[in-house]
Amino acid sequence: MSDTLKLSHARKGDRGVVVRVGDHARTDEHALELERRLLELGFVEGANVELLHEGLFGRDPIAMKVDDMRVALRRHEAASLTVRFEPAFVAGPEFVPEEVPA
């Protein structure tokens, strides 16, 4: 099972796939320009993203890996991207070798 949220809600280490770029309900010039810029940066539908770093103050800006490159965005810009996040990997108990009697 996966969650579809805005990229602005991501936390460090979150991974997912871009499912929508921009807010298609908006028609203002600024929103269209931001959508075009995000597409040029590689935020296309189907691109893999991983949040690498969050800023110290207000967790802004954020640095992420988009396919094979790294990009930094403000959280209000990341709110224009909808991402399907994969559930966090839950590791099982660590392997501890048994002691062999001598």
Side-chain angles (χ1 to χ4, degrees):
M1 186 171 156
S2 62
D3 296 320
T4 303
L5 297 169
K6 298 291 184 181
L7 184 57
S8 59
H9 297 293
R11 302 291 269 173
K12 186 175 177 180
D14 286 349
R15 296 179 184 191
V17 177
V18 176
V19 293
R20 191 171 80 178
V21 180
D23 185 3
H24 300 294
R26 289 188 185 176
T27 57
D28 68 47
E29 195 66 31
H30 177 71
L32 294 173
E33 178 64 22
L34 177 58
E35 182 177 345
R36 183 191 61 77
R37 185 172 153 250
L38 291 170
L39 290 168
E40 288 175 353
L41 288 172
F43 290 98
V44 295
E45 292 178 8
N48 294 307
V49 294
E50 176 184 359
L51 193 89
L52 301 173
H53 181 75
E54 298 175 317
L56 294 176
F57 302 105
R59 297 175 32 234
D60 203 24
I62 56 176
M64 66 208 69
K65 184 176 178 184
V66 182
D67 287 333
D68 291 332
M69 65 180 183
R70 284 159 176 72
V71 177
L73 292 177
R74 296 283 181 193
R75 286 210 180 255
H76 73 273
E77 295 169 332
S80 296
L81 297 160
T82 305
V83 177
R84 184 178 64 241
F85 291 104
E86 296 303 322
F89 175 76
V90 179
E94 292 185 28
F95 174 74
V96 179
E98 294 180 22
E99 292 186 26
V100 179

